[in-house]
Amino acid sequence: MEAILDKATKKKLGSFYSPAVLANYLASKANEYFHRDKESLSFLDPAVGDGELLKAMFKMRQDTTETYIGVDIDENALDNTRIRLGEAGVDCFLFNDDALNPKTIPSINGWDYIKFRSNIEEIDCIISNPPWGADISIGQKDLTTFKTAIGQYDIYDLFIEKSIDILSMGGVYAFIVPDSIFRKEHKPVRKILLKSTSIKLIARLGEFFFEGVNTPVSIIIGIKGYTPNNICLLYTSPSPRDMRRS
């Protein structure tokens, strides 16, 4: 699926699609933190790409009453994602839009409109492999409202900030991020996670998950809403080869 995008486009959009082994691992870990008294949950990937993460979550939960939503700026990717998710049995609302600044209509902002079109009132889970290393100017009109848009930031900082903003209180987030998030220039986004959420799990996975990319990656899972004395699991996870065997 990733071959649909040439290397130049991938670099410009920061698109590195999640391999199935990593998507399944993230979905299984995120699924451990749902403790909501709600009949049907809603799941969003604001950078849906080929839909692998939503597919993995659907396979994990097998609940056809739940709502799946994908947003992506790449229209061509969405055309193939619609087919791919349909073949997997996932009934998904897909929007060709910029998740950081979605289109608005009179009297309703972009994300409220997406929720309205998806027949939900709130977003219960955001599971995403946000873009990184992208040309931030693509599709962007105004970044002045982002607290993370300072210094040497990356587009994934903005995606994480926006995700926490639109996630419902008590909702679960699960991100795949490059290990650069632990560097000092990404302190603003870490501050948002620490002050606005309860981080439940950080797993540093290492390299070799993305073909042709040697950047180490991590997963971060948490719940929106600060909890004093929160317990966070921090560990190094198995290699991609070992994860496939498990």
Side-chain angles (χ1 to χ4, degrees), residues 148 156-157 160-161 173 179-197 199 202 220:
T148 56
Y156 70 78
D157 295 290
I160 291 174
E161 180 180 352
Y173 63 84
D179 259 19
S180 60
I181 194 171
F182 301 113
R183 297 176 185 167
K184 63 180 182 180
E185 56 264 33
H186 299 285
K187 183 178 178 180
V189 75
R190 296 198 305 272
K191 186 176 180 181
I192 287 175
L193 292 177
L194 287 169
K195 290 196 170 187
S196 301
T197 81
I199 302 173
I202 298 174
I220 302 177

mmCIF file of all heavy atoms in Angstrom, residues 148 156-157 160-161 173 179-197 199 202 220:
data_model
loop_
_atom_site.group_PDB
_atom_site.id
_atom_site.type_symbol
_atom_site.label_atom_id
_atom_site.label_comp_id
_atom_site.label_asym_id
_atom_site.label_seq_id
_atom_site.Cartn_x
_atom_site.Cartn_y
_atom_site.Cartn_z
ATOM 1 N N THR A 148 2.845 24.088 20.734
ATOM 2 C CA THR A 148 4.050 23.342 20.363
ATOM 3 C C THR A 148 4.751 23.905 19.133
ATOM 4 O O THR A 148 5.832 23.430 18.779
ATOM 5 C CB THR A 148 3.698 21.866 20.098
ATOM 6 O OG1 THR A 148 2.667 21.800 19.094
ATOM 7 C CG2 THR A 148 3.209 21.192 21.367
ATOM 8 N N TYR A 156 4.652 16.171 14.043
ATOM 9 C CA TYR A 156 4.000 15.256 14.992
ATOM 10 C C TYR A 156 3.699 15.940 16.320
ATOM 11 O O TYR A 156 2.760 15.548 17.030
ATOM 12 C CB TYR A 156 4.804 13.973 15.185
ATOM 13 C CG TYR A 156 6.114 14.083 15.933
ATOM 14 C CD1 TYR A 156 6.153 14.191 17.328
ATOM 15 C CD2 TYR A 156 7.320 14.022 15.250
ATOM 16 C CE1 TYR A 156 7.365 14.261 18.008
ATOM 17 C CE2 TYR A 156 8.529 14.083 15.918
ATOM 18 C CZ TYR A 156 8.554 14.201 17.297
ATOM 19 O OH TYR A 156 9.746 14.269 17.965
ATOM 20 N N ASP A 157 4.471 16.965 16.691
ATOM 21 C CA ASP A 157 4.149 17.745 17.887
ATOM 22 C C ASP A 157 2.760 18.359 17.758
ATOM 23 O O ASP A 157 1.954 18.331 18.703
ATOM 24 C CB ASP A 157 5.166 18.868 18.091
ATOM 25 C CG ASP A 157 6.565 18.367 18.375
ATOM 26 O OD1 ASP A 157 6.781 17.813 19.463
ATOM 27 O OD2 ASP A 157 7.438 18.529 17.509
ATOM 28 N N ILE A 160 -0.057 15.672 17.952
ATOM 29 C CA ILE A 160 -0.309 15.207 19.317
ATOM 30 C C ILE A 160 -1.081 16.266 20.101
ATOM 31 O O ILE A 160 -2.045 15.951 20.808
ATOM 32 C CB ILE A 160 1.016 14.853 20.017
ATOM 33 C CG1 ILE A 160 1.626 13.608 19.372
ATOM 34 C CG2 ILE A 160 0.798 14.630 21.511
ATOM 35 C CD1 ILE A 160 3.007 13.251 19.903
ATOM 36 N N GLU A 161 -0.672 17.522 19.972
ATOM 37 C CA GLU A 161 -1.379 18.593 20.673
ATOM 38 C C GLU A 161 -2.838 18.663 20.244
ATOM 39 O O GLU A 161 -3.745 18.764 21.084
ATOM 40 C CB GLU A 161 -0.696 19.942 20.414
ATOM 41 C CG GLU A 161 -1.389 21.102 21.110
ATOM 42 C CD GLU A 161 -0.717 22.450 20.862
ATOM 43 O OE1 GLU A 161 0.385 22.479 20.271
ATOM 44 O OE2 GLU A 161 -1.303 23.471 21.268
ATOM 45 N N TYR A 173 -5.562 7.729 24.297
ATOM 46 C CA TYR A 173 -4.748 8.006 23.110
ATOM 47 C C TYR A 173 -3.630 6.988 23.021
ATOM 48 O O TYR A 173 -3.141 6.467 24.033
ATOM 49 C CB TYR A 173 -4.176 9.430 23.133
ATOM 50 C CG TYR A 173 -3.233 9.720 24.283
ATOM 51 C CD1 TYR A 173 -1.878 9.389 24.204
ATOM 52 C CD2 TYR A 173 -3.691 10.335 25.447
ATOM 53 C CE1 TYR A 173 -1.009 9.662 25.255
ATOM 54 C CE2 TYR A 173 -2.833 10.603 26.502
ATOM 55 C CZ TYR A 173 -1.496 10.264 26.394
ATOM 56 O OH TYR A 173 -0.637 10.522 27.442
ATOM 57 N N ASP A 179 11.687 8.473 18.269
ATOM 58 C CA ASP A 179 12.335 8.676 19.568
ATOM 59 C C ASP A 179 12.806 10.107 19.787
ATOM 60 O O ASP A 179 13.163 10.474 20.909
ATOM 61 C CB ASP A 179 13.540 7.732 19.705
ATOM 62 C CG ASP A 179 13.191 6.522 20.565
ATOM 63 O OD1 ASP A 179 11.991 6.242 20.733
ATOM 64 O OD2 ASP A 179 14.116 5.859 21.066
ATOM 65 N N SER A 180 12.806 10.915 18.739
ATOM 66 C CA SER A 180 13.203 12.313 18.887
ATOM 67 C C SER A 180 12.284 13.069 19.839
ATOM 68 O O SER A 180 12.636 14.146 20.325
ATOM 69 C CB SER A 180 13.210 13.019 17.519
ATOM 70 O OG SER A 180 11.918 12.981 16.926
ATOM 71 N N ILE A 181 11.114 12.510 20.136
ATOM 72 C CA ILE A 181 10.188 13.177 21.059
ATOM 73 C C ILE A 181 10.814 13.366 22.437
ATOM 74 O O ILE A 181 10.399 14.230 23.201
ATOM 75 C CB ILE A 181 8.862 12.391 21.170
ATOM 76 C CG1 ILE A 181 7.783 13.255 21.846
ATOM 77 C CG2 ILE A 181 9.059 11.075 21.931
ATOM 78 C CD1 ILE A 181 6.396 12.651 21.817
ATOM 79 N N PHE A 182 11.842 12.602 22.753
ATOM 80 C CA PHE A 182 12.483 12.703 24.063
ATOM 81 C C PHE A 182 13.612 13.739 24.090
ATOM 82 O O PHE A 182 14.238 13.942 25.130
ATOM 83 C CB PHE A 182 13.019 11.336 24.488
ATOM 84 C CG PHE A 182 11.949 10.284 24.565
ATOM 85 C CD1 PHE A 182 11.937 9.217 23.678
ATOM 86 C CD2 PHE A 182 10.926 10.366 25.505
ATOM 87 C CE1 PHE A 182 10.950 8.253 23.739
ATOM 88 C CE2 PHE A 182 9.935 9.413 25.569
ATOM 89 C CZ PHE A 182 9.937 8.351 24.678
ATOM 90 N N ARG A 183 13.875 14.387 22.951
ATOM 91 C CA ARG A 183 14.904 15.430 22.911
ATOM 92 C C ARG A 183 14.361 16.734 23.483
ATOM 93 O O ARG A 183 13.154 16.953 23.556
ATOM 94 C CB ARG A 183 15.377 15.641 21.468
ATOM 95 C CG ARG A 183 16.051 14.432 20.841
ATOM 96 C CD ARG A 183 16.387 14.703 19.392
ATOM 97 N NE ARG A 183 16.936 13.524 18.735
ATOM 98 C CZ ARG A 183 17.079 13.402 17.428
ATOM 99 N NH1 ARG A 183 16.692 14.404 16.619
ATOM 100 N NH2 ARG A 183 17.585 12.295 16.920
ATOM 101 N N LYS A 184 15.277 17.638 23.849
ATOM 102 C CA LYS A 184 14.877 18.859 24.535
ATOM 103 C C LYS A 184 13.989 19.766 23.691
ATOM 104 O O LYS A 184 13.141 20.488 24.225
ATOM 105 C CB LYS A 184 16.110 19.626 25.012
ATOM 106 C CG LYS A 184 17.032 20.108 23.908
ATOM 107 C CD LYS A 184 18.220 20.862 24.495
ATOM 108 C CE LYS A 184 19.143 21.402 23.397
ATOM 109 N NZ LYS A 184 20.292 22.138 23.968
ATOM 110 N N GLU A 185 14.160 19.742 22.342
ATOM 111 C CA GLU A 185 13.362 20.635 21.509
ATOM 112 C C GLU A 185 11.881 20.238 21.481
ATOM 113 O O GLU A 185 11.031 21.012 21.030
ATOM 114 C CB GLU A 185 13.906 20.711 20.077
ATOM 115 C CG GLU A 185 14.021 19.385 19.366
ATOM 116 C CD GLU A 185 15.417 18.787 19.469
ATOM 117 O OE1 GLU A 185 16.076 18.994 20.514
ATOM 118 O OE2 GLU A 185 15.841 18.142 18.497
ATOM 119 N N HIS A 186 11.569 19.040 21.962
ATOM 120 C CA HIS A 186 10.172 18.596 21.982
ATOM 121 C C HIS A 186 9.576 18.631 23.392
ATOM 122 O O HIS A 186 8.560 17.987 23.663
ATOM 123 C CB HIS A 186 10.065 17.191 21.387
ATOM 124 C CG HIS A 186 10.520 17.128 19.958
ATOM 125 N ND1 HIS A 186 9.777 17.616 18.918
ATOM 126 C CD2 HIS A 186 11.679 16.672 19.421
ATOM 127 C CE1 HIS A 186 10.453 17.443 17.776
ATOM 128 N NE2 HIS A 186 11.604 16.872 18.068
ATOM 129 N N LYS A 187 10.189 19.424 24.235
ATOM 130 C CA LYS A 187 9.683 19.572 25.602
ATOM 131 C C LYS A 187 8.252 20.100 25.644
ATOM 132 O O LYS A 187 7.451 19.654 26.490
ATOM 133 C CB LYS A 187 10.610 20.489 26.407
ATOM 134 C CG LYS A 187 10.202 20.652 27.864
ATOM 135 C CD LYS A 187 11.196 21.525 28.622
ATOM 136 C CE LYS A 187 10.758 21.716 30.072
ATOM 137 N NZ LYS A 187 11.734 22.563 30.821
ATOM 138 N N PRO A 188 7.854 21.048 24.764
ATOM 139 C CA PRO A 188 6.475 21.560 24.834
ATOM 140 C C PRO A 188 5.408 20.478 24.690
ATOM 141 O O PRO A 188 4.394 20.506 25.398
ATOM 142 C CB PRO A 188 6.419 22.572 23.687
ATOM 143 C CG PRO A 188 7.831 23.057 23.566
ATOM 144 C CD PRO A 188 8.677 21.844 23.818
ATOM 145 N N VAL A 189 5.614 19.527 23.784
ATOM 146 C CA VAL A 189 4.597 18.486 23.621
ATOM 147 C C VAL A 189 4.617 17.510 24.790
ATOM 148 O O VAL A 189 3.564 17.026 25.230
ATOM 149 C CB VAL A 189 4.755 17.760 22.263
ATOM 150 C CG1 VAL A 189 5.942 16.802 22.255
ATOM 151 C CG2 VAL A 189 3.462 17.020 21.920
ATOM 152 N N ARG A 190 5.792 17.240 25.325
ATOM 153 C CA ARG A 190 5.859 16.380 26.506
ATOM 154 C C ARG A 190 5.164 17.048 27.698
ATOM 155 O O ARG A 190 4.509 16.384 28.505
ATOM 156 C CB ARG A 190 7.313 16.053 26.853
ATOM 157 C CG ARG A 190 8.045 15.245 25.798
ATOM 158 C CD ARG A 190 9.293 14.579 26.364
ATOM 159 N NE ARG A 190 10.206 15.511 26.990
ATOM 160 C CZ ARG A 190 11.172 16.175 26.361
ATOM 161 N NH1 ARG A 190 11.338 16.029 25.052
ATOM 162 N NH2 ARG A 190 11.975 16.998 27.015
ATOM 163 N N LYS A 191 5.288 18.363 27.781
ATOM 164 C CA LYS A 191 4.645 19.116 28.856
ATOM 165 C C LYS A 191 3.127 18.992 28.763
ATOM 166 O O LYS A 191 2.437 18.844 29.788
ATOM 167 C CB LYS A 191 5.070 20.584 28.780
ATOM 168 C CG LYS A 191 4.584 21.435 29.926
ATOM 169 C CD LYS A 191 5.149 22.854 29.817
ATOM 170 C CE LYS A 191 4.678 23.734 30.959
ATOM 171 N NZ LYS A 191 5.226 25.117 30.830
ATOM 172 N N ILE A 192 2.593 19.035 27.550
ATOM 173 C CA ILE A 192 1.151 18.875 27.362
ATOM 174 C C ILE A 192 0.702 17.501 27.827
ATOM 175 O O ILE A 192 -0.307 17.352 28.527
ATOM 176 C CB ILE A 192 0.779 19.099 25.876
ATOM 177 C CG1 ILE A 192 0.886 20.598 25.534
ATOM 178 C CG2 ILE A 192 -0.626 18.584 25.573
ATOM 179 C CD1 ILE A 192 0.661 20.911 24.081
ATOM 180 N N LEU A 193 1.450 16.473 27.456
ATOM 181 C CA LEU A 193 1.090 15.115 27.857
ATOM 182 C C LEU A 193 1.156 14.951 29.374
ATOM 183 O O LEU A 193 0.300 14.304 29.979
ATOM 184 C CB LEU A 193 2.008 14.103 27.175
ATOM 185 C CG LEU A 193 1.855 13.975 25.654
ATOM 186 C CD1 LEU A 193 2.872 12.984 25.097
ATOM 187 C CD2 LEU A 193 0.443 13.549 25.278
ATOM 188 N N LEU A 194 2.171 15.543 29.992
ATOM 189 C CA LEU A 194 2.339 15.392 31.431
ATOM 190 C C LEU A 194 1.299 16.179 32.233
ATOM 191 O O LEU A 194 0.852 15.725 33.288
ATOM 192 C CB LEU A 194 3.746 15.850 31.837
ATOM 193 C CG LEU A 194 4.890 14.911 31.452
ATOM 194 C CD1 LEU A 194 6.238 15.584 31.669
ATOM 195 C CD2 LEU A 194 4.813 13.619 32.244
ATOM 196 N N LYS A 195 0.898 17.348 31.739
ATOM 197 C CA LYS A 195 -0.019 18.198 32.485
ATOM 198 C C LYS A 195 -1.490 17.943 32.175
ATOM 199 O O LYS A 195 -2.364 18.234 33.002
ATOM 200 C CB LYS A 195 0.307 19.675 32.231
ATOM 201 C CG LYS A 195 1.614 20.119 32.869
ATOM 202 C CD LYS A 195 1.692 21.626 32.924
ATOM 203 C CE LYS A 195 2.869 22.091 33.785
ATOM 204 N NZ LYS A 195 2.874 23.558 33.985
ATOM 205 N N SER A 196 -1.762 17.421 30.967
ATOM 206 C CA SER A 196 -3.158 17.269 30.555
ATOM 207 C C SER A 196 -3.624 15.824 30.512
ATOM 208 O O SER A 196 -4.815 15.569 30.290
ATOM 209 C CB SER A 196 -3.361 17.889 29.161
ATOM 210 O OG SER A 196 -3.020 19.260 29.166
ATOM 211 N N THR A 197 -2.713 14.886 30.704
ATOM 212 C CA THR A 197 -3.080 13.481 30.600
ATOM 213 C C THR A 197 -2.379 12.654 31.678
ATOM 214 O O THR A 197 -1.476 13.141 32.368
ATOM 215 C CB THR A 197 -2.698 12.888 29.221
ATOM 216 O OG1 THR A 197 -1.305 12.526 29.196
ATOM 217 C CG2 THR A 197 -2.965 13.864 28.099
ATOM 218 N N ILE A 199 -0.167 9.528 31.548
ATOM 219 C CA ILE A 199 0.551 8.604 30.677
ATOM 220 C C ILE A 199 0.587 7.231 31.335
ATOM 221 O O ILE A 199 0.999 7.095 32.486
ATOM 222 C CB ILE A 199 1.980 9.114 30.395
ATOM 223 C CG1 ILE A 199 1.938 10.506 29.742
ATOM 224 C CG2 ILE A 199 2.729 8.132 29.486
ATOM 225 C CD1 ILE A 199 3.297 11.149 29.577
ATOM 226 N N ILE A 202 4.903 3.874 28.125
ATOM 227 C CA ILE A 202 5.890 4.315 27.139
ATOM 228 C C ILE A 202 6.761 3.104 26.826
ATOM 229 O O ILE A 202 7.365 2.521 27.727
ATOM 230 C CB ILE A 202 6.771 5.457 27.665
ATOM 231 C CG1 ILE A 202 5.924 6.692 27.999
ATOM 232 C CG2 ILE A 202 7.841 5.822 26.643
ATOM 233 C CD1 ILE A 202 6.710 7.816 28.657
ATOM 234 N N ILE A 220 3.411 5.665 22.868
ATOM 235 C CA ILE A 220 2.977 6.339 24.087
ATOM 236 C C ILE A 220 1.469 6.183 24.186
ATOM 237 O O ILE A 220 0.745 6.519 23.248
ATOM 238 C CB ILE A 220 3.361 7.831 24.083
ATOM 239 C CG1 ILE A 220 4.877 8.006 23.922
ATOM 240 C CG2 ILE A 220 2.889 8.511 25.364
ATOM 241 C CD1 ILE A 220 5.328 9.451 23.843
#
